[in-house]
Amino acid sequence: MKKFEEKTIDSNPIFKGKVISLKVDDVTLPNGNQSKREIVNHPGAVAIIAITKDGKMVLVEQYRKPLERSIIEIPAGKLEPGEEPAVTARRELEEETGYGCNELNYLQTFATSPGFADEVIHLFVAKDLYKIEEKAELDEDEFVELLEVTVEEAEQMVANEQIYDAKTAFAVLWMKMNK
Amino acid sequence: MKKFEEKTIDSNPIFKGKVISLKVDDVTLPNGNQSKREIVNHPGAVAIIAITKDGKMVLVEQYRKPLERSIIEIPAGKLEPGEEPAVTARRELEEETGYGCNELNYLQTFATSPGFADEVIHLFVAKDLYKIEEKAELDEDEFVELLEVTVEEAEQMVANEQIYDAKTAFAVLWMKMNK
């Protein structure tokens, strides 16, 4: 998968933050010309399609500062360094929803913004959920509200743009096909 | 949609590039504490589920420098300043695939990485395609290869991670439901 490869001539680090870092690479294009690529590095993330015993989707509403609005999403969170995605998935599900799961299946991985970022999301399906007695703590800067909705309600949320992100739009179609 | 709003105290521009810019905002959290948010601004994009007369999906393979590999995606491209998404969609479809379309329908909009970026993708469905006699030029730093595949072939490409981005994963499910 190296078709049209762009070889790095020089890499210029611009910013290193808590979550992301940014660099600008000088590259050689397939035709021999040169160009610049602005690249955001991200640790990667997991997202979980969590299904309750009565077939509802578990969703969380949270404020997304880049969009300056709150949106409704499937539970998700960043990988810690060296962490197995399945471990992250169980941790994030517990922290954001208070649910544990007896069944966790890996579904697929996809890049979210391959034009400018290396973020990938590892997507899981969690079933046979149970309420954790002592709910794990959210990160100190994280505030979420829990919802449990039918697939039809989720589709309505897509239509009125309360659901407004790619992973959750994917999850709604997946639920519709697999219910 | 302002639940758990994070008010901006201060905004610090870090980088302004050709495609993206980066800032770090100091915010007040819902509990009154302060935090920082690293935010990438992007002009927004369109993507097109383009369906040939024989029901195949039109896809493009291109090298994605952030991932250091080539992946196969539905046609997509950035909005020019002030441009209507439907205009961008027709332009990008033509530039990347050499197809025009007699029918273009808006499907939905979603954010790709709402945790750190404001990029949204406006998704369209293009039908009744016809070959443009004089194919429009790609951007000078853009190299793509055209593919036309059945939904079953696209599903196989998801399974072997040739299709490896969120908008295209969504498109494959959408095709499967709507064929």
Side-chain angles (χ1 to χ4, degrees):
Chain A
M1 309 295 284
K2 290 286 181 186
K3 190 175 284 178
F4 304 130
E5 184 174 1
E6 300 174 354
K7 288 213 167 30
T8 306
I9 306 163
D10 197 17
S11 187
N12 308 284
I14 305 286
F15 172 78
K16 188 167 168 47
K18 279 189 309 179
V19 179
I20 57 174
S21 57
L22 173 68
K23 63 181 180 177
V24 177
D25 280 6
D26 295 303
V27 302
T28 306
L29 300 172
N31 64 0
N33 289 345
Q34 292 188 12
S35 190
K36 288 182 186 293
R37 297 295 183 209
E38 300 157 6
I39 297 169
V40 173
N41 292 118
H42 182 282
V46 299
I48 307 108
I49 301 175
I51 307 170
T52 64
K53 287 194 172 47
D54 53 355
K56 289 184 174 176
M57 299 180 74
V58 181
L59 300 173
V60 292
E61 179 166 4
Q62 62 188 307
Y63 195 75
R64 291 303 204 172
K65 186 66 182 168
L67 304 175
E68 293 290 8
R69 55 168 289 195
S70 66
I71 60 175
I72 292 168
E73 299 169 61
I74 55 174
K78 289 183 293 292
L79 293 169
E80 298 293 336
E83 194 174 43
E84 281 294 318
V87 174
T88 318
R90 286 183 187 276
R91 179 170 52 75
E92 288 291 341
L93 181 65
E94 189 174 326
E95 286 178 8
E96 293 198 345
T97 73
Y99 277 117
C101 68
N102 287 316
E103 190 183 336
L104 184 73
N105 296 310
Y106 170 73
L107 195 58
Q108 71 181 82
T109 298
F110 44 60
T112 55
S113 299
F116 69 90
D118 69 350
E119 185 192 37
V120 297
I121 288 182
H122 307 285
L123 190 61
F124 290 84
V125 178
K127 290 179 184 170
D128 199 358
L129 305 182
Y130 55 90
K131 274 286 175 192
I132 304 278
E133 302 236 336
E134 284 200 41
K135 186 173 171 308
E137 290 284 316
L138 284 168
D139 292 342
E140 61 181 7
D141 63 352
E142 214 176 0
F143 300 84
V144 306
E145 184 173 283
L146 191 63
L147 297 91
E148 296 180 9
V149 305
T150 63
V151 179
E152 293 71 27
E153 287 166 339
E155 285 189 281
Q156 192 52 45
M157 287 173 168
V158 171
N160 66 23
E161 298 197 339
Q162 290 177 287
I163 288 176
Y164 192 68
D165 88 313
K167 65 182 176 297
T168 309
F170 178 93
V172 173
L173 282 196
W174 189 91
M175 283 290 293
K176 203 171 167 183
M177 289 192 58
N178 290 277
K179 74 173 177 181
Chain B
M1 308 295 283
K2 290 287 180 186
K3 190 176 282 177
F4 305 129
E5 183 173 2
E6 300 175 352
K7 287 213 165 37
T8 306
I9 305 163
D10 197 15
S11 187
N12 308 285
I14 305 285
F15 172 79
K16 189 166 169 47
K18 279 189 309 179
V19 179
I20 56 174
S21 56
L22 173 68
K23 63 181 180 177
V24 178
D25 280 7
D26 295 303
V27 302
T28 306
L29 299 172
N31 65 0
N33 290 346
Q34 292 188 11
S35 190
K36 288 182 185 294
R37 298 293 183 210
E38 299 158 7
I39 298 168
V40 173
N41 292 117
H42 182 282
V46 299
I48 307 109
I49 301 174
I51 308 170
T52 63
K53 287 192 171 52
D54 53 355
K56 290 184 174 176
M57 298 179 75
V58 181
L59 300 174
V60 292
E61 179 165 5
Q62 62 188 309
Y63 195 76
R64 290 304 203 170
K65 186 67 184 166
L67 304 175
E68 293 291 6
R69 56 169 288 195
S70 67
I71 60 175
I72 292 169
E73 299 170 59
I74 55 174
K78 290 183 293 292
L79 294 169
E80 299 292 336
E83 193 176 41
E84 281 294 317
V87 174
T88 317
R90 286 183 188 276
R91 180 171 50 75
E92 290 290 341
L93 180 65
E94 188 174 327
E95 286 178 7
E96 294 199 343
T97 73
Y99 276 119
C101 68
N102 286 315
E103 190 183 335
L104 184 73
N105 296 310
Y106 170 74
L107 196 58
Q108 70 181 82
T109 298
F110 43 60
T112 55
S113 301
F116 69 90
D118 69 350
E119 184 193 36
V120 297
I121 288 182
H122 307 285
L123 190 62
F124 290 84
V125 178
K127 290 179 184 168
D128 199 357
L129 306 181
Y130 56 90
K131 276 284 176 192
I132 303 278
E133 304 238 335
E134 284 201 40
K135 187 173 171 308
E137 290 285 315
L138 284 168
D139 292 342
E140 61 180 9
D141 63 352
E142 216 176 357
F143 300 84
V144 306
E145 183 173 286
L146 190 63
L147 297 90
E148 296 181 10
V149 304
T150 64
V151 179
E152 293 71 27
E153 288 166 338
E155 285 189 283
Q156 192 53 45
M157 289 173 166
V158 171
N160 66 21
E161 298 197 341
Q162 289 178 288
I163 287 177
Y164 191 69
D165 87 312
K167 64 183 176 298
T168 309
F170 178 93
V172 173
L173 282 196
W174 189 90
M175 283 292 291
K176 203 170 167 183
M177 288 191 59
N178 290 277
K179 72 175 176 181

